Amino acid sequence: MATAELAGKHLVLGMTGGIACYKIAELTRLLTKAGATVQVVMTDAATQFITPVTMQALSGRPVYTSQWDARVPNNMAHIDLSREADAIVIAPASTDFLAKLAHGMADDLLSTLCVARDCPLLVVPAMNRQMWQHPATQRNVAQLRADGVQVLGPDSGPQACGEVGDGRMLEAAATYEAIASFFAPKLLAGRRVLLTAGPTFEPLDPVRGITNRSSGKMGFALARAAQQAGAEVHLVAGPVALETPWGVFRQDVQTAQQMHDAVMHAVADADIFIGVAAVADWRVDHASEHKIKKTADRALPSFAFVENPDILASVAKLPHPPFAVGFAAESGDLEVHGEEKRVRKNVPLLIGNLGPLTFGLDDNEVILFEAGGATKLPRADKQTLARALIAEIAKRLPDTSLIR
Ligand code: CTP
């Protein structure tokens, strides 16, 4: 999560009854950490699962549970609480509350707020699998979708009742991601983005290999930002220890050749290709099938190397290439190497940074190289930078009709 990604956003977080209420403590923390203000409103049932005191401490604001609460200045809690809201999020959303929403009922503070709102409504269902699958629930959810309500989840898996199936509430982190995605400007709506990220691993034998220090953070941040911008995202990742960004299709590979094959297989469907991976330039010609052992005479092993395919250049060479963006991590003379590399790889845009010095770090400073010249972007954390880069890429895209 980027620092202050939701700065200036005001959310009404409506909690209804369900064991998943415990997840909302963490969700509130994530939302406030990202800069959002969170006004918690709870139904009576929700207060059976977690106390308003806990939610007040986490949100830093008084919690409301009743439409008769005299603390709201003009005694119109059902109107006032949502007036400054950018969205109402109902989490967890119980079977009963979804039914009430679908029918426009307004018999407590939270349901009245939802009917009286003039902002978007997001619901995060949480219930037993049979309650979720019940035709009435499915009808209600379909009605809510038709009314423009965003339905986030539910997840599938083990449930508090011991059963397994659909209906679990999304985890707090996934709910946060879905909310952050909802608010991001849809600069890449309808576009398909293919990215590579992380290092590659070139085996020497079954236990050893050559790799590099790329953490994959920048590529994963770009995949997340592209998803948030409304794109369909396919991320081809080398070996990294990072979670898949929410809503992104991830394909794991090890070697440069596998990364190349995965990209070439998928590229026909892409409008944009972003090569962020630190691809190994060479591999051992014939990796040993067995572990290479020390010999009695202590002879040092020697390896013959062959060059790996250049994925970015292969994409750029296609007869109808997507908008191809390269990355260059240089240890010096970035201004010279960046533009030289962009021309050599034949891409319209290359993003250069002093890579080896920023590998694994959370922030970065980059220069955009393109035919018209070079532009420096301000130093920022990788998530913020990723959003800025996606906006820069979106600005440079040819008209959809001219892309392919
Ligand atoms: N790249 C690629 N396939 C390769 C090598 C690089 O797709 N086999 C892509 C990277 O993902 C990046 C860009 O090319 O987008 C530049 O990578 P870099 O390693 O800086 O380029 P090289 O051509 O390997 O140049 P150098 O000689 O500086 O290593």
Side-chain angles (χ1 to χ4, degrees):
M1 180 208 307
T3 27
E5 163 169 84
L6 295 182
K9 294 283 181 252
H10 179 65
L11 298 174
V12 169
L13 183 53
M15 300 173 63
T16 70
I19 192 66
C21 276
Y22 79 91
K23 295 183 181 177
I24 310 311
E26 174 69 1
L27 175 63
T28 305
R29 207 186 60 81
L30 291 171
L31 291 167
T32 52
K33 208 170 137 202
T37 52
V38 177
Q39 175 59 62
V40 176
V41 176
M42 301 171 78
T43 62
D44 275 346
T47 65
Q48 297 292 318
F49 292 90
I50 190 166
T51 69
V53 175
T54 303
M55 296 314 300
Q56 174 159 340
L58 289 167
S59 64
R61 294 168 80 103
V63 170
Y64 292 92
T65 56
S66 158
Q67 68 264 51
W68 315 123
D69 196 318
R71 287 174 299 173
V72 179
N74 67 359
N75 248 347
M76 300 272 268
H78 66 291
I79 307 282
D80 284 5
L81 291 177
S82 75
R83 275 302 165 260
E84 46 159 351
D86 294 293
I88 299 179
V89 180
I90 307 295
S94 65
T95 317
D96 175 62
F97 201 77
L98 293 178
K100 276 163 74 163
L101 282 178
H103 292 88
M105 288 171 69
D107 63 354
D108 62 7
L109 175 58
L110 189 55
S111 53
T112 314
L113 267 174
C114 291
V115 178
R117 77 183 195 282
D118 60 1
C119 63
L121 176 61
L122 288 69
V123 297
V124 195
M127 64 198 71
N128 161 273
R129 70 183 171 87
Q130 271 164 335
M131 295 170 91
W132 174 251
Q133 279 158 6
H134 194 284
T137 307
Q138 290 302 313
R139 249 190 340 262
N140 291 334
V141 169
Q143 182 60 56
L144 289 173
R145 286 202 173 102
D147 292 347
V149 174
Q150 298 279 322
V151 181
L152 311 180
D155 227 344
S156 195
Q159 305 198 310
C161 54
E163 296 181 5
V164 178
D166 289 344
R168 266 170 70 96
M169 195 190 122
L170 294 178
E171 292 305 326
T175 309
Y176 172 83
E177 288 297 317
I179 294 169
S181 184
F182 172 78
F183 281 118
K186 298 292 171 267
L187 301 173
L188 294 183
R191 309 279 194 168
R192 291 158 304 175
V193 177
L194 177 64
L195 298 103
T196 62
T200 63
F201 180 90
E202 310 299 327
L204 297 174
D205 70 16
V207 293
R208 303 184 183 92
I210 300 172
T211 186
N212 61 63
R213 291 175 51 218
S214 165
S215 65
K217 282 181 186 169
M218 193 67 232
F220 275 56
L222 274 160
R224 177 178 186 262
Q227 189 283 332
Q228 292 194 343
E232 197 181 297
V233 183
H234 181 160
L235 172 64
V236 181
V240 292
L242 294 174
E243 282 201 23
T244 310
W246 190 77
V248 165
F249 173 71
R250 171 178 179 172
Q251 184 178 6
D252 284 320
V253 295
Q254 295 277 317
T255 65
Q257 186 65 51
Q258 289 167 356
M259 189 174 270
H260 171 271
D261 296 349
V263 165
M264 295 321 275
H265 190 253
V267 71
D269 289 333
D271 301 308
I272 301 165
F273 172 74
I274 315 178
V276 199
V279 184
D281 291 317
W282 308 281
R283 67 175 181 273
V284 168
D285 195 4
H286 290 290
S288 171
E289 255 181 62
H290 302 287
K291 185 181 171 195
I292 302 165
K293 306 289 280 180
K294 285 197 284 287
T295 54
D297 64 356
R298 293 284 202 239
L300 296 175
S302 66
F303 301 98
F305 286 93
V306 289
E307 198 172 335
N308 274 324
D310 188 319
I311 304 166
L312 181 62
S314 311
V315 168
K317 245 186 261 154
L318 289 169
H320 301 288
F323 185 79
V325 182
F327 260 75
E330 302 296 334
S331 54
D333 280 339
L334 180 57
E335 277 80 356
V336 178
H337 293 310
E339 180 55 13
E340 177 270 321
K341 199 166 274 184
R342 185 189 74 78
V343 172
R344 176 157 53 83
K345 305 253 178 181
N346 189 28
V347 290
L349 180 65
L350 185 125
I351 299 158
N353 66 54
L354 291 173
L357 308 177
T358 63
F359 274 10
L361 297 185
D362 285 326
D363 64 353
N364 207 345
E365 189 175 70
V366 302
I367 301 182
L368 308 187
F369 296 95
E370 58 196 322
T375 321
K376 196 172 192 166
L377 295 190
R379 172 169 285 279
D381 66 84
K382 287 183 178 172
Q383 294 288 349
T384 305
L385 192 59
R387 279 205 305 278
L389 287 173
I390 289 297
E392 295 291 340
I393 290 170
K395 262 197 269 179
R396 287 163 174 80
L397 286 180
D399 199 290
T400 323
S401 54
L402 303 176
I403 290 181
R404 314 291 299 164

